[in-house]
Amino acid sequence: MINKYETLETLHMIDNQHLDIRTITMGISLLDCADSDSAKSRQKIYDKICNKAENLVKTGETIEKELGIPIINKRISVTPISLVAGASEAKSYVPFAKTLDEAAKTVGVNFIGGFSALVHKGFTEADRILINSIPEALSTTDIVCSSVNVGNSKAGINMDAVKLMGEVIKKTEELTVSTDGFGNAKLVVFCNAVEDNPFMAGAFLGVGEPDCVINVGVSGPGVVKHALEKVRGCDFGVVSETIKKTAFKVTRMGQLVAMEASKRLGVPFGIVDLSLAPTPAVGDSVAYILEEMGLEKCGTHGTTAALALLNDAVKKGGVFASSYVGGLSGAFIPVSEDAGMIAAAQCGALSIDKLEAMTCVCSVGLDMIVIPGDTSASTISAIIADEAAIGMINNKTTAVRIIPAPGKKVGEIVEFGGLLGTGPVMPVNNYSSDDFIARGGRIPAPIHSLRN
Amino acid sequence: MKKAIITVIGKDKVGIIYGVTKILSENNVNVLDISQTILQGMFTMMMIVDIEKCDSNFEALSDILAKEGQEMGVEIRIQLESIFESMHRI
């Protein structure tokens, strides 16, 4: 029987250490919504989302109440829209984004992801239409998220897509000047994108997924930080064990909520994503975990090693706690969403170069980083290329969600509000990458892709 | 049997257990186990109950208990046992 101390430990984690379920994400396949008539296709999309996700929010709220654990977001991920809209005559997919926005608002979810294209080896006509529609789609909708996969370990990197995405990010910046370039907070450029990611902005439902599925993402940096406070001065074996035990407990919450949601909604359970996702709330920071390990500031020498240990221990603890693990599963390091990262960036301890090194050992990539508004499209493309190269060579997911802030210079602050937080404008390297990006073509897959 | 755990945390005073069990009795909730301590002057009670035959739905019972807690100046919550089971038992 459960004892008093265990009960209080759980309550303490929820009340004081920000333990929560970050998201219940319902994946909905829209492959059966393709139609040669785009209006008909959009109607099918709207109807299917409203039908499948009708009870998602209510069910999430009931579980939240009965188990007494906060479930912060209820979200939807859909089939990459380029695969669905491609059957139609449409020359712009902005109306499809608007349909997603309307349907998501009708069912009351926080975000819908899947205004996406997978172009790691090349473009279809539909992929091009979708990518060209991204700036307007993100500036005219509220809760639609977009992602583009530009490379993977099997195919290499589509450098034409990398070039194009630099331009798309600049165009999105122009169209969302009034909100400090907020549109780009809803756009992720991936290498090795996963098909079952429950986290935004990069969630979409891959073609190998079922018609409808429930994926859950947990959160718990505050819980890990608190656990480490009790083992100050102990060696790394103890640190790793402590993180593993904590991650196990956190992940069990995710597994329970996923099973409950799946049962009550009558939708199969997909995966639990083991990611440690921070929020801007004080005490819910991944950076503070790294600092708890003995670093004066996140970003100083030793940060990459600390993050590698954290990321690995979270997986080892979490994998035993869930029947199916998937998604991104690793520590997130979104700068604007993490109080410790913000502070480290502001005092100069944390640079984009160090963040890039950190992405080699954790999920997912350069995330929620604000850069000066005068950064060129080719520099942004080059940042994407570097990050994609790390993903391609290391067989891992990497992503870039970078936000050029119109008119803003290094040191200024951009407020996004809510979970997206506050971003200090970080410096980029000012030397040109123009000629490199102008080459185009495809970077071939690495030698270790030839495994057969 | 459908088990839930009620926790009461707050400043100790006369009548807390009475206040909680009165509501449980009115709602046909059976108490299976009670344990309580005073930790640093804070009253901490944990009660395992069976809500299978409860007359109200879970959310309503949860709201009634929370309201009673507010009136007594303590925090009362009810959660399904599964959250504690899954976190602390393999």
Side-chain angles (χ1 to χ4, degrees):
Chain A
M1 196 177 277
I2 293 299
N3 71 42
K4 207 164 42 199
Y5 301 101
E6 292 166 333
T7 308
L8 290 177
E9 184 191 359
T10 303
L11 295 185
H12 196 55
M13 283 182 183
I14 294 168
D15 290 348
N16 305 325
Q17 299 162 23
H18 305 281
L19 173 62
D20 56 52
I21 301 298
R22 178 54 51 83
T23 178
I24 298 180
T25 303
M26 176 181 271
I28 303 173
S29 170
L30 299 182
L31 286 170
D32 54 356
C33 298
D35 197 296
S36 55
D37 178 338
S38 65
K40 277 188 193 160
S41 179
R42 285 188 281 111
Q43 187 62 44
K44 285 184 198 172
I45 289 171
Y46 181 86
D47 292 345
K48 184 159 186 187
I49 292 172
C50 291
N51 177 281
K52 293 283 181 190
E54 187 184 6
N55 296 318
L56 175 62
V57 172
K58 176 73 190 129
T59 303
E61 285 168 354
T62 304
I63 295 172
E64 189 171 0
K65 190 98 182 177
E66 292 188 9
L67 295 179
I69 184 163
I71 300 170
I72 309 298
N73 286 298
K74 292 91 189 171
R75 297 165 170 168
I76 294 171
S77 63
V78 297
T79 309
I81 288 298
S82 71
L83 299 178
V84 183
S88 75
E89 81 300 341
K91 293 294 170 228
S92 161
Y93 296 160
V94 174
F96 282 87
K98 290 183 175 168
T99 300
L100 294 178
D101 204 45
E102 281 166 31
K105 286 173 180 169
T106 302
V107 296
V109 293
N110 310 91
F111 277 113
I112 183 163
F115 194 74
S116 306
L118 310 175
V119 296
H120 35 271
K121 211 166 182 182
F123 302 92
T124 62
E125 182 56 24
D127 293 331
R128 282 193 191 278
I129 297 174
L130 184 123
I131 292 173
N132 289 326
S133 303
I134 287 174
E136 193 184 340
L138 293 180
S139 63
T140 56
T141 59
D142 297 312
I143 54 176
V144 172
C145 291
S146 176
S147 55
V148 176
N149 192 55
V150 297
N152 70 24
S153 298
K154 275 285 186 191
I157 302 172
N158 179 350
M159 289 300 288
D160 292 325
V162 168
K163 179 171 186 287
L164 187 54
M165 288 315 294
E167 292 157 10
V168 164
I169 288 170
K170 288 302 282 182
K171 181 80 182 159
T172 304
E173 176 197 353
E174 279 171 33
L175 294 184
T176 54
V177 167
S178 60
T179 52
D180 285 333
F182 180 71
N184 281 311
K186 300 180 286 180
L187 173 61
V188 183
V189 186
F190 274 116
C191 177
N192 287 322
V194 295
E195 300 198 327
D196 52 5
N197 171 18
F199 287 102
M200 294 296 169
F204 64 85
L205 187 76
V207 291
E209 295 283 314
D211 189 52
C212 192
V213 65
I214 289 290
N215 297 320
V216 165
V218 296
S219 172
V223 186
V224 174
K225 159 84 165 64
H226 184 263
L228 289 181
E229 285 169 9
K230 293 179 182 160
V231 296
R232 277 185 188 153
C234 298
D235 73 16
F236 286 116
V238 177
V239 171
S240 173
E241 278 302 304
T242 305
I243 297 170
K244 277 161 66 179
K245 285 176 189 161
T246 311
F248 176 83
K249 290 178 181 174
V250 169
T251 309
R252 290 284 280 185
M253 295 297 90
Q255 172 78 11
L256 173 66
V257 168
M259 296 308 288
E260 282 293 325
S262 159
K263 189 171 76 188
R264 295 179 191 203
L265 289 163
V267 171
F269 159 55
I271 55 97
V272 173
D273 188 317
L274 304 181
S275 297
L276 271 189
T279 66
V282 175
D284 203 19
S285 151
V286 169
Y288 287 154
I289 298 175
L290 306 178
E291 292 174 8
E292 181 59 42
M293 285 191 213
L295 302 168
E296 185 182 0
K297 274 284 169 201
C298 176
T300 189
H301 303 293
T303 301
T304 310
L307 184 58
L309 181 151
L310 171 67
N311 199 52
D312 184 59
V314 165
K315 285 182 204 167
K316 285 173 178 165
V319 76
F320 181 43
S322 173
S323 46
Y324 295 96
V325 171
L328 299 167
S329 285
F332 289 166
I333 49 170
V335 175
S336 77
E337 299 175 17
D338 185 309
M341 296 280 173
I342 296 168
Q346 279 176 322
C347 75
L350 184 62
S351 65
I352 289 185
D353 295 343
K354 187 64 179 180
L355 282 161
E356 186 183 306
M358 291 160 74
T359 65
C360 298
V361 298
C362 79
S363 72
V364 163
L366 296 173
D367 195 14
M368 290 303 286
I369 296 172
V370 184
I371 56 172
D374 60 3
T375 309
S376 70
S378 65
T379 293
I380 293 171
S381 292
I383 292 171
I384 294 169
D386 281 344
E387 202 53 39
I390 290 171
M392 173 183 76
I393 296 293
N394 295 301
N395 284 302
K396 74 184 287 294
T397 307
T398 49
V400 173
R401 179 162 52 148
I402 207 159
I403 303 152
K408 292 273 198 302
K409 301 211 158 16
V410 172
E412 290 187 74
I413 301 284
V414 177
E415 291 282 349
F416 297 116
L419 281 180
L420 295 169
T422 305
V425 180
M426 298 178 74
V428 297
N429 195 312
N430 286 324
Y431 291 95
S432 164
S433 315
D434 287 358
D435 294 345
F436 179 75
I437 293 303
R439 285 176 184 272
R442 190 149 54 92
I443 294 181
I447 185 72
H448 56 243
S449 69
L450 305 172
R451 290 187 166 187
N452 293 340
Chain B
M1 191 178 290
K2 189 176 182 188
K3 286 189 196 171
I5 292 185
I6 295 173
T7 46
V8 182
I9 300 173
K11 201 167 177 315
D12 195 14
K13 61 180 273 191
V14 173
I16 296 180
I17 296 184
Y18 170 75
V20 177
T21 49
K22 186 168 152 289
I23 291 170
L24 299 182
S25 164
E26 285 165 4
N27 287 278
N28 205 19
V29 174
N30 190 29
V31 178
L32 303 170
D33 185 66
I34 300 183
S35 69
Q36 69 160 87
T37 41
I38 308 288
L39 284 173
Q40 296 163 344
M42 292 289 271
F43 176 85
T44 310
M45 179 175 80
M46 182 184 118
M47 202 179 251
I48 301 179
V49 297
D50 177 11
I51 54 168
E52 191 168 8
K53 295 187 179 130
C54 179
D55 297 331
S56 337
N57 70 30
F58 192 95
E59 287 187 34
L61 180 64
S62 170
D63 291 343
I64 297 168
L65 286 168
K67 189 159 167 284
E68 176 70 15
Q70 274 178 358
E71 282 166 17
M72 291 196 289
V74 294
E75 193 181 347
I76 306 180
R77 57 182 134 179
I78 179 165
Q79 293 161 275
L80 290 182
E81 191 196 28
S82 55
I83 181 170
F84 304 102
E85 281 281 346
S86 66
M87 183 180 271
H88 298 287
R89 296 288 178 273
I90 296 174

